[in-house]
Structure formats: structure tokens, C-alpha cells
Amino acid sequence: MHEVGIITSMLHTVADIMEQEQLTVVEKIVLEVGELSGVVPHYMEECFPAAAYKTRFADTKLEIEVVPGIVKCNRCGLEFNGFQYDLRCPDCGNGKELTPLSGRELTIREIIGC
Ligand SMILES: [Zn+2]
């Protein structure tokens, strides 16, 4: 599962931020995960305890905010949830000419610590 790798690199980023902000404990990490980012939020939550085990993040909570994967159909102009409709316009059937509007996020939104 590539989610473990993503969490590990995310924790590296958090560690850097901790150093910059001079934080010693992180209570909670809030992640923004887009539906079209290729990452499954559910797996992220499942993998987190294993990735954080025996690190300074062992007691850290992971909170995930899912960003809907909205795309716009370049043929008919319809905006729809690309995740839900499997990247195919429910109106005209177009599955190629789509512009992603949101849902590709994979970002650390907030770090709560002291
Ligand atoms: Zn369309």
C-alpha cells in the first residue's frame, strides 16, 4: 500500500515544521485529501498508527478532511463529481476532455501542537 509511504513522507514534513515552529508535541495533524488524489482516506487512517508507532507521533491523532473531486466537462460544461461518476460525464458520456476543479489535494492543512 503506497499510503504508508505517503504517511512516512508526510511525517517528515511535519517533523520539519515542528523544528521551525519549535513544537515538541503534536496532538493532531489535519490532512486534506482530495477524492481524485489517488489516496484512499480510509487506508490513510488505517496505516497511520503503524507508521507512527514508536515515533514521536505515536500519540498524534490524524484527522482527514476529504475534498470532493469536482471536474468540469469541456464538451457540455457540466460540473460533476468525477470520483462518483468514474471520470465520465453523466450528461454526455465524455470521459476525456475534463478539467479538474478540485479534489487533487494531498496537503497538511493544520498541525496542532505545543
Ligand atoms: Zn458533458
Side-chain angles (χ1 to χ4, degrees):
M1 272 194 288
H2 74 155
E3 276 77 8
V4 174
I6 293 165
I7 292 170
T8 306
S9 72
M10 175 195 80
L11 290 179
H12 281 300
T13 308
V14 174
D16 286 345
I17 296 168
M18 282 176 80
E19 216 158 285
Q20 283 163 26
E21 307 282 322
Q22 296 182 324
L23 301 173
T24 48
V25 179
V26 172
E27 283 169 28
K28 191 161 92 172
I29 300 168
V30 183
L31 265 194
E32 242 180 20
V33 178
E35 282 179 334
L36 300 175
S37 66
V39 170
V40 184
H42 172 69
Y43 286 157
M44 293 282 276
E45 278 165 355
E46 255 180 23
C47 293
F48 184 73
Y53 182 66
K54 283 193 175 171
T55 71
R56 62 179 124 173
F57 303 108
D59 294 322
T60 303
K61 284 197 191 87
L62 179 71
E63 194 177 295
I64 295 179
E65 290 185 1
V66 178
V67 182
I70 305 301
V71 296
K72 186 178 178 182
C73 174
N74 294 349
R75 274 194 209 159
C76 72
L78 183 78
E79 290 179 12
F80 63 98
N81 186 310
F83 180 68
Q84 198 179 334
Y85 289 102
D86 209 16
L87 292 177
R88 186 165 292 274
C89 177
D91 229 29
C92 70
N94 166 30
K96 283 186 186 137
E97 297 150 58
L98 303 168
T99 306
L101 299 179
S102 70
R104 296 176 120 180
E105 296 81 353
L106 184 57
T107 47
I108 297 166
R109 203 174 148 246
E110 206 178 343
I111 293 168
I112 298 164
C114 54

